[in-house]
Amino acid sequence: MGAAADRWRELQSGRGVPPEILARAEASPWTHDPKDFAAPEEPVDTPSRRAALDLLGPGGGTVLDVGCGGGVASLALVGRAAHLIGLDRAQDMLDAFAVGATARGVPYDTVLGEWPDAAAAAGTADVVVCHHVLHNVVELEPFLTALSAAARRGVVIEMLAQHPMAWLDPLWVRFHNLHRPPPATTDDAVAVLAELGVTPTVTGWERVNPPRQHPAWVTRRLCLPADRVVEVAAAMDELPPRPRLAATLTWRTA
């Protein structure tokens, strides 16, 4: 692995929760509600959606959605996508994906597993999409290599400009005296791709201002007990707005 892959691994490893803090948590900080990941009825027109539609072309094709959640990335392509494959490590997310695909009348398959371990089970597709997953990955080189191998035409990645939980770093210092390393960025991901011989088209853009995270969710994420919610809410009021900068990374494989 090259220097860029090593840097990504080091930065991502520093985003973990120390075992001694995790051991004191009343509930898992990683719990998510699938309803929060449901695809909107009307697709949002983003650079990521446009890039995927361009790869599909007028004739359409199949789409593999890696880390699909509720299917926001792939369900936005219905009408051009003839068949969807949703892969996720959480069954409840796959259930939400299935509900969305069924409601839209598009054929689909689901694969339960981690990428790239489950890549063989997912097979190949014309276009591979992967939205807001990279910042959950430590070993990025094999992850990206498997995305390219699965795509007959091309890959579309959407990610935030920096780690999506970096905005909570001041609260980790405040409540746990935990100082995290700088977050990995889009530039770091592009550097890893360069080591793989891939030069993606990078489109930076701004998301619609994200809603304020509920203090109870932030409290759980910080591994604090529920009776600290009011204190956490007050601390959140002192934080700057959550980052809005995102990026779409696209490359053709054929």
Side-chain angles (χ1 to χ4, degrees):
M1 293 187 183
D6 289 340
R7 171 179 166 80
W8 180 276
R9 184 189 312 106
E10 180 181 354
L11 293 176
Q12 286 294 96
S13 297
R15 307 306 300 180
V17 179
E20 62 273 17
I21 293 177
L22 196 58
R24 297 195 298 268
E26 292 182 345
S28 170
W30 318 123
T31 301
H32 296 286
D33 187 341
K35 294 179 181 178
D36 295 336
F37 294 83
E41 292 187 12
E42 291 295 326
V44 180
D45 186 30
T46 66
S48 302
R49 179 173 183 260
R50 293 194 293 272
L53 290 173
D54 180 62
L55 287 171
L56 285 170
T62 57
V63 175
L64 168 59
D65 191 346
V66 174
C68 63
V72 173
S74 53
L75 292 176
L77 308 175
V78 169
R80 195 76 65 85
H83 187 98
L84 304 180
I85 306 165
L87 180 146
D88 204 280
R89 62 186 179 185
Q91 184 60 53
D92 56 0
M93 294 295 180
L94 291 177
D95 293 341
F97 171 84
V99 168
T102 299
R104 291 161 177 78
V106 60
Y108 71 92
D109 291 303
T110 59
V111 178
L112 178 65
E114 294 268 4
W115 189 268
D117 294 341
T124 60
D126 293 309
V127 176
V128 174
V129 295
C130 182
H131 284 201
H132 301 287
V133 178
L134 259 60
H135 278 119
N136 295 325
V137 178
V138 174
E139 299 294 342
L140 190 56
E141 187 177 60
F143 189 97
L144 295 172
T145 299
L147 291 181
S148 289
R152 290 190 287 269
R153 299 182 194 169
V155 178
V156 179
I157 288 175
E158 182 176 304
M159 62 187 298
L160 293 183
Q162 65 177 25
H163 195 287
M165 293 295 104
W167 67 282
L168 293 178
D169 285 0
L171 300 188
W172 284 103
V173 175
R174 178 167 180 165
F175 291 103
H176 295 290
N177 196 30
L178 176 63
H179 296 264
R180 293 175 177 271
T185 67
T186 300
D187 290 343
D188 291 312
V190 171
V192 178
L193 282 168
E195 291 183 340
L196 297 173
V198 175
T199 304
T201 297
V202 181
T203 305
W205 50 285
E206 285 195 15
R207 301 185 303 158
V208 175
N209 197 32
R212 186 176 188 267
Q213 285 284 10
H214 195 281
W217 182 91
V218 175
T219 301
R220 186 174 66 249
R221 186 77 179 193
L222 294 172
C223 299
L224 295 171
D227 60 10
R228 306 286 296 275
V229 169
V230 173
E231 187 180 355
V232 169
M236 289 173 62
D237 289 338
E238 301 174 11
L239 296 178
R242 289 169 60 193
R244 296 173 55 183
L245 294 179
T248 299
L249 282 56
T250 310
W251 66 94
R252 291 185 177 270
T253 56

